[in-house]
Amino acid sequence: MSAIELIYAALMTYFVTLNGGYLVLTAISTRVNLRRSVESGYTQYEVLASSRATVPVSVIIPAYNEQVSVIAAVETALASEHPEFEVILVNDGSTDDTMAIAIERFELEVRDVFHPRPLETKPVRRVYQSRRHPNLWAIDKENGSQADAYNAGVNLARYRYIVQVDSDCVLDREALLRTMRVVNHDPGRIVGIGGQVRPGNGMRLEDGRMVPTGERKPLVVRFQEIEYLGVFLAQRPAWSELNAVPVVAGGYGAWRKDLLIELGGYSTELTHPDIEITQAAHDRLRTEGTPYRVAFAPDAVSYTEVPSSWRDLMRQRKRWQRVVIETVWKYRRMLFSPRHGSAGMLGMPYLLLYEALGPVFEVAAYALTAWLAATGALSVTGMLAFLVVSFGLSMVVRLTGVYADVWHLHRYERGELVKRLALCVLEPITRPVLLPSRLWALAEFVRGQKSWEAMTRIGTPTIETAPTQVAPAGPGLKGSRPAWAPSTDALSVRSRSIRAGAQRTLPGRSARDSSERAGR
Amino acid sequence: MRVLLRGGVGLVRTESLLSGLGWAGWLAGVSVVVGFTWALSAYVVSDTERANDAVRAGGLLVLGACMVLTIACLLRREWRTGRERAHRRALATVLAAARCCMLLDPPEQTKALRELAPHVSLLAEASETMEKPEREELRRAMAEALRNEQPLIGGRGKRGQLASLAALGWLGTRSTVWELKRNLHGEDLDRAYVAGQALAEHGSRYAYEALLAGLDSTGLPPSRVAALLEGPRFEGAVEVLSRRVLKGRLPQVHRFWIAYLLGNTGSPGALQALERLLADQDVSVRANAAEALGQLPCRTPIERALRDESWVVRCHAARAAGVAGRHDLAPVLVRLLEDREWWVRQNAMIALKVLGPEIREAVLPALTGSDRFARNKAAEILIDFGYARELVERLRVAGPANVERHVRELARAEATDALHDVALTDLTPAQLEGFHELLEMDA
C-alpha cells in the first residue's frame, strides 16, 4: 500500500470509530432512558413537590444584554414546581435595559446584603430582592464574564445545590423536581447533574409550559433540533453511566455548592465555563480518589433559543470549538491517565480526537477524497465506502437519537415526526458546512484570541402579551444617585472589608441539607 | 373482559416488536462498523474483491438501518397513540362495569366485583374521575369483596406489575400490607418505590408502620420514604411516632426523620417526643427537632434550642421561632444577630422579619450595637416594618431636629439608601434638600 492509501485508510478508520463509538453510546443510553422512563411513569411528582424533604436548590441565571429573553427565563424559573428554591438573577454589567426591565417587572428592591463571598468576583453594585417573589434575588455587578456572574450568584446562594440556567433558556416546570429526584437517590456522591436542552425556537410560553406556535422554522433550526436530540438522548446518558460526562451544559445543569467553592468557582479564563468546570470536577475528584458521580437527567428539560441563521450558528460553533480546545489543553494531564479512570481514558480522549481535532481529520478526509476522485485514483466503491462511513453512519446515529425521543419522551404529530425523520438524512451535511468555523477556532486558539460575537435573539414569546414598561437605566428606579451616596466602588470595598472580618464560608443549611449529611 | 385482556396482551407483544425493530436498526449500524473494519483489513492486505464486497454490503446495511429505524419511529408513534386510545376505552369500560356492579344487591355485587379483580389497577385509575364519595364507596365495596383474596400482582411487563402494585394501596385491605411490605424491602427499586407509595395511600396503621420501618432498611433514599410518610391519611401518626421515640433505642436515621415527621403533623401531642429529641446527642436530630417545634400550635421550648451549643441547632431554632410567631423570643433573636456564625445571624434576621412590626421595640436597640452586621440587619428589618416611611413623615411634619438621631443611627447601620428612596417620593424639593444636608452631616 502506498502512503496515500494508508492515510486514506486511517481517515476512514477515524469515521468508523467515531460513529461506531456513537452507536455504542446509543446502546448504553437506551438502557438509561428506559430506566428513567419507567421511573417517571410511577413517580408521584406532586408528593415530591409538596414535601420539604426534597432537596432545595438555588437557581442562578446570569444575564448580559439579555433584555429580550431575561423575563421569560426568570418567570419560568419562578414557576418551577419545587417545594423550596430561590432564583438569583445576575446582571453582568449589561449595557442594555436588562436590569431596568427586571427591576420593573419583578418589583426589585435594594437590599444591603452582607454575605460570605468565598469566590472573588468583579465588584457587586447592588443586591435586590423582589417584593412580589421573596425567593427572587438579583445581583447587579460590573461586567466580568459569564463565569464571573455565576460566581457572584454562588456567593449569594443559600442552598446546597446550584442550578445553572442560561438567560436565554426557559425551564420546564418540573425540571428542578426531576433533577433533584435523581440527586435524592445518591446525594452523598452526586456532585453534578446535567439536564436535556432542547431548541425553543418556534415555541411560545403558555401557562408556564412551552408549546409549539406552529410557525415555520428555518432549516438551520431544524438541523439543530436533530443534533440536540442525538447529543442529549443518545450520548449524554451513556457518558453519565460511564461517569465521564464531558460537559454539564450551561443551558441547564446543577452542581453542589461546596464543590464549586472548593474548585475556586467557574473559571473566568474561558468563554464558556460549563465544560471547564465539568473537567475541573473530574480532575479534582479523581485525583483525590473521592467517590463521586456526575449524573444526567434526560427528562429534566430546558429550552434554549438556538441560532436561527447559518452565520450565527457558525459563530456559535467557532466559540464552542475554541472552548473545547482550550479545556483539552488545560486538562491535558488527564489524557489517557489511568488515575483519572473513565474521564481520563474515555472522556478526555474523545474530546481531543473527535471534538478538538475532529475538524482537522474531517477536512483532511474530504480533501483527500476529492483529490483522489479528481485524479481517478478512487474507484466508485472507494467513494461509496467514504460516503457510507462518513454520512451514512451519521444518519443512523441521528435516527437513533430521534428514535430514543419518540420511544421514551416526546409525543409528535405525525407530520412533524415525518419531517424530523427526513431531516435526519440531511443533517450530516451540516458537518462539512460548519468545518471552516471550527477550523478557524483552532487558529484562534493558536493565536490566543478570544472573541464572542453576539447572536441575534428574538426571545421566547409568552401568551400574556402586555407590553413591559421599561424603566430608565441607572442605579435605582427613582432617579440618579445623590451626591452624598457612596460610589459603587466604595460600596464594594466596604463589602470586602466585612468579608475579611468575622464571616466564614459555610455551605447553605436547611433541614434537607443536614439530612444529606446525617440521614445517610 | 376477556377481549380486553387479550387485546392488552397483543399490545405488549407489539411493544416488544417495536423495541426489536429499533434494536435491529441499531444492530445494522454496528454491523456496518464491523463490516468496514473488515473491509479495511482486506484493503490493507490488498484483497480488493473482498473489500469491495464488504463496502457494498455496508452501503446496503446503512440504507437498511435507516429504513428500519424510520419505520420503527413511525410505528412506535402510531402504536403509542393507539395504545392510549385503547387504554382510555378500557378505563371507560371498567368504570361502567364497576358502576353496574354497584347497583346490584350485596351478594351479587360481591360476586361481580370479584370478577373485576384482575383489572383492579385499571379500576383504581378509572375511579380518579369519580366524585370523592362515589370513589370511596367503590373502593370500600371492592376491598370488602376481595377481603379474603390473595393480592393479585398481575399485568404483563414491568409497567403492568407496577400498576397492580399501586392499586393494592388504593384497595387498602389489610391482606395487601404484607405484600406491599415485601416489595418495599425487595431489591427491585421500582417495585420498592411503588410499594412505598401504595403503603402511603393505604392509610392504615399497619401500612404506616411498615413504611416507617422502610426508612433505613430499603434501597430507597430515606428522604423519599419520609416524603411518602408526610402525606398519609392515617390520623394516629403522632401516636406511632411518639411511642417509637419514647420507647426504644432508634437508629440515627429514624430519630432524624421522625423529628421531621413529628413537626409535620402539627399536633401538640408531638411535644413530649420532640423534647426528648431536642436532648439527642446527634446535632442533626436536635436541629430537626428544633425546627419541628416551630410547627406545633402550642408553647414549646424553642428558647432552649436557641441557646444550643451547636450553631446548626441555633440556626434551625431561629427559623422555628419565626414560623411559630414567638414574639416573646424577639430579644433572644436580636442577640443572635451578633452570633459568631453567619447562618445563625441570617436565620435570626429572617425570623425577626417574619415576626412582624410588633417586635419593633426589641429591634431598635440593635441599631446602636457594636456589631456591624447586626446594625445593618436591624435597620433592614425596621425599614421593612415601615420605619423609614415613619421617619420621613416625621421629618416632613416636624423638621430635621425631630429625626436627627434616628437618621444618624440608620446611617451608621449603612441603610440610608432605602430611607432616601422613601424620601424621594414623599418629600417636597425643599424638604429633600434639608434631608440631604442631614445625611451629608452624618457622612
Side-chain angles (χ1 to χ4, degrees), chain A residues 39-55:
Chain A
E39 281 174 10
S40 284
Y42 64 71
T43 303
Q44 293 174 330
Y45 284 104
E46 64 277 9
V47 172
L48 297 181
S50 60
S51 168
R52 290 194 304 122
T54 304
V55 181

Side-chain angles (χ1 to χ4, degrees), chain A residues 175-404:
Chain A
L176 295 182
L177 265 190
R178 288 172 191 270
T179 309
M180 287 302 128
R181 183 180 64 87
V182 178
V183 171
N184 252 343
H185 275 290
D186 198 359
R189 288 204 316 153
I190 294 179
V191 293
I193 178 161
Q196 192 197 155
V197 181
R198 297 179 89 108
N201 305 45
M203 298 181 100
R204 69 162 184 260
L205 197 61
E206 197 175 307
D207 191 25
R209 292 201 186 274
M210 292 291 271
V211 292
T213 53
E215 281 172 25
R216 204 182 157 84
K217 293 180 207 167
L219 203 59
V220 63
V221 172
R222 291 270 183 194
F223 283 142
Q224 288 172 87
E225 284 175 344
I226 305 291
E227 186 194 10
Y228 276 56
L229 280 185
V231 170
F232 284 99
L233 287 181
Q235 292 172 26
R236 224 37 87 69
W239 284 120
S240 91
E241 278 297 284
L242 299 168
N243 203 15
V245 172
V247 53
V248 170
Y252 182 75
W255 288 101
R256 226 166 62 189
K257 184 179 170 177
D258 56 338
L259 177 72
L260 288 178
I261 290 171
E262 242 180 70
L263 295 172
Y266 290 86
S267 169
T268 49
E269 291 167 26
L270 309 187
T271 327
H272 283 288
D274 51 3
I275 184 167
E276 197 275 343
I277 197 79
T278 313
Q279 294 304 328
H282 283 308
D283 185 29
R284 164 69 71 98
L285 297 167
R286 298 265 183 181
T287 310
E288 285 175 355
T290 311
Y292 77 103
R293 262 195 73 205
V294 178
F296 183 74
D299 51 350
V301 181
S302 81
Y303 297 86
T304 186
E305 187 183 341
V306 297
S308 49
S309 70
W310 286 102
R311 194 159 146 253
D312 279 344
L313 180 65
M314 289 172 91
R315 283 173 171 178
Q316 186 199 51
R317 294 310 156 96
K318 184 178 77 176
R319 207 167 60 230
W320 286 7
Q321 182 71 20
R322 195 183 62 228
V323 173
V324 169
I325 300 168
E326 285 169 347
T327 308
V328 170
W329 182 250
K330 188 172 175 186
Y331 293 98
R332 57 190 181 278
R333 62 178 170 274
M334 286 171 67
L335 270 169
F336 300 108
S337 152
R339 194 180 175 190
H340 287 87
S342 55
M345 300 299 284
L346 291 171
M348 197 43 100
Y350 161 78
L351 280 180
L352 174 71
L353 293 172
Y354 299 116
E355 294 290 339
L357 296 178
V360 178
F361 289 124
E362 286 182 41
V363 164
Y366 296 137
L368 194 61
T369 310
W371 181 65
L372 289 175
T375 55
L378 192 66
S379 64
V380 176
T381 317
M383 195 69 181
L384 177 70
F386 176 73
L387 289 175
V388 168
V389 293
S390 59
F391 295 112
L393 280 176
S394 289
M395 288 175 202
V396 176
V397 169
R398 293 300 179 223
L399 280 168
T400 52
V402 176
Y403 186 69

Side-chain angles (χ1 to χ4, degrees), chain A residues 23 37 42 51-53 111-112 114 184 403 406-407 411-412 414 484 498 506 509 515 518 520, chain B residues 18 26 76-78 80 84 159 190 230 252 256 260 284 295 311 342-343 372 376-377 384:
Chain A
L23 285 170
S37 130
Y42 64 71
S51 168
R52 290 194 304 122
R111 289 276 184 231
D112 294 308
F114 298 96
N184 252 343
Y403 186 69
V406 172
W407 190 266
R411 280 145 206 255
Y412 290 105
R414 192 180 293 143
W484 53 267
I498 288 177
L506 291 166
R509 306 287 179 193
S515 77
R520 303 179 172 84
Chain B
L18 288 180
W26 175 84
R76 166 75 194 185
R77 192 242 161 229
E78 295 305 322
R80 191 179 194 165
E84 279 168 3
R159 281 173 209 263
D190 296 326
E230 270 180 90
Q252 188 267 357
F256 178 87
Y260 169 77
S284 314
Q295 293 171 57
W311 69 268
W342 186 84
W343 285 103
R372 194 175 172 191
N376 185 264
K377 289 300 152 195
D384 267 20

Side-chain angles (χ1 to χ4, degrees), chain B residues 293-315:
Chain B
L293 287 174
Q295 293 171 57
L296 304 192
C298 58
R299 196 165 180 85
T300 56
I302 299 177
E303 196 171 350
R304 202 171 89 204
L306 285 171
R307 296 201 165 93
D308 196 282
E309 60 183 23
S310 162
W311 69 268
V312 181
V313 181
R314 292 199 300 277
C315 219

Side-chain angles (χ1 to χ4, degrees), chain A residues 1 5-6 8-9 12-13 16 19-20 23-24 26-27 30 34-35 37-39 41-44 47-48 50-53 84 109-116 126 129 157-159 181 184-185 257 379 381-382 384-386 388-389 392-393 395-396 399-400 402-403 405-414 417-418 421 478-486 491 494-495 497-498 502-504 506-512 514-520, chain B residues 15 18-23 25-26 29-30 32-33 36-37 40 43-46 51-52 55-56 58-59 62 65-67 69-70 72-74 76-80 84 158-159 162 189-191 193-194 197 201 219-224 226-228 230 252-253 256-257 260 263-264 282 284 287-288 291 295 311-312 315-316 319 340-343 345-347 350 353 372-373 376-377 380 384 413-417 420-421 424-425 435-436 439-440 443:
Chain A
M1 278 181 89
E5 280 175 322
L6 266 178
Y8 192 65
M12 297 279 273
T13 311
V16 169
N19 290 313
L23 285 170
V24 172
T26 306
T30 303
L34 192 62
R35 206 168 56 222
S37 130
V38 170
E39 281 174 10
Y42 64 71
T43 303
Q44 293 174 330
V47 172
L48 297 181
S50 60
S51 168
R52 290 194 304 122
E84 193 176 344
E109 289 179 323
V110 178
R111 289 276 184 231
D112 294 308
V113 178
F114 298 96
H115 59 91
R126 283 183 168 197
Q129 188 179 16
R158 276 198 299 159
Y159 299 124
R181 183 180 64 87
N184 252 343
H185 275 290
K257 184 179 170 177
S379 64
T381 317
L384 177 70
F386 176 73
V388 168
V389 293
L393 280 176
M395 288 175 202
V396 176
L399 280 168
T400 52
V402 176
Y403 186 69
D405 194 31
V406 172
W407 190 266
H408 303 296
L409 295 169
H410 218 72
R411 280 145 206 255
Y412 290 105
E413 292 296 318
R414 192 180 293 143
L417 181 60
V418 170
L421 291 169
K478 291 167 184 158
S480 57
R481 208 171 180 76
W484 53 267
L491 275 173
R494 273 200 328 225
S495 304
S497 65
I498 288 177
Q503 294 168 11
R504 284 179 50 198
L506 291 166
R509 306 287 179 193
S510 75
R512 272 69 62 216
S514 313
S515 77
E516 281 148 27
R517 290 191 311 279
R520 303 179 172 84
Chain B
E15 183 169 22
L18 288 180
S19 171
L21 264 181
W23 280 108
W26 175 84
V30 173
V32 176
V33 173
F36 265 87
T37 315
L40 273 170
Y43 189 66
V44 170
V45 296
S46 302
N52 286 345
V55 167
R56 276 184 221 114
V62 161
C66 288
M67 281 172 66
L69 281 166
T70 307
C73 280
L74 291 169
R76 166 75 194 185
R77 192 242 161 229
E78 295 305 322
W79 173 81
R80 191 179 194 165
E84 279 168 3
K158 192 159 188 178
R159 281 173 209 263
L162 291 177
L189 279 185
D190 296 326
R191 290 177 84 112
Y193 191 74
V194 175
Q197 283 177 173
E201 201 187 352
L220 297 179
S223 60
R224 294 287 286 274
L228 292 172
E230 270 180 90
Q252 188 267 357
V253 181
F256 178 87
W257 286 109
Y260 169 77
N264 278 345
D282 189 276
S284 314
N288 254 8
E291 186 146 351
Q295 293 171 57
W311 69 268
V312 181
C315 219
H316 287 263
R319 278 163 70 125
R340 61 182 181 278
E341 293 292 341
W342 186 84
W343 285 103
R345 294 163 171 236
Q346 186 70 7
N347 279 326
I350 294 168
K353 276 190 183 177
R372 194 175 172 191
F373 178 94
N376 185 264
K377 289 300 152 195
E380 187 180 319
D384 267 20
E414 296 172 24
T416 44
D417 273 6
H420 186 261
D421 278 355
L424 271 177
T425 47
F435 174 66
H436 281 166
L439 289 170
E440 273 162 16

Side-chain angles (χ1 to χ4, degrees), chain B residues 35 40 75 86 97 103 114 120 122 133 185 224 226 232 275 295:
Chain B
L40 273 170
L75 284 180
L103 296 174
R114 274 191 193 154
V120 72
L122 278 177
H185 292 269
R224 294 287 286 274
E275 276 184 314
Q295 293 171 57

Side-chain angles (χ1 to χ4, degrees), chain B residues 366-440:
Chain B
L367 276 182
T368 52
S370 59
D371 187 282
R372 194 175 172 191
F373 178 94
R375 283 202 308 268
N376 185 264
K377 289 300 152 195
E380 187 180 319
I381 294 162
L382 289 167
I383 287 166
D384 267 20
F385 293 164
Y387 188 59
R389 189 158 296 282
E390 189 190 313
L391 286 189
V392 168
E393 181 61 20
R394 276 160 64 184
L395 181 77
R396 198 170 62 80
V397 176
N402 198 37
V403 293
E404 191 182 319
R405 186 173 64 84
H406 305 288
V407 172
R408 221 178 261 279
E409 283 169 2
L410 282 182
R412 202 166 159 246
E414 296 172 24
T416 44
D417 273 6
L419 186 60
H420 186 261
D421 278 355
V422 179
L424 271 177
T425 47
D426 286 12
L427 296 183
T428 62
Q431 285 170 330
L432 199 60
E433 203 176 322
F435 174 66
H436 281 166
E437 274 169 24
L438 197 63
L439 289 170
E440 273 162 16

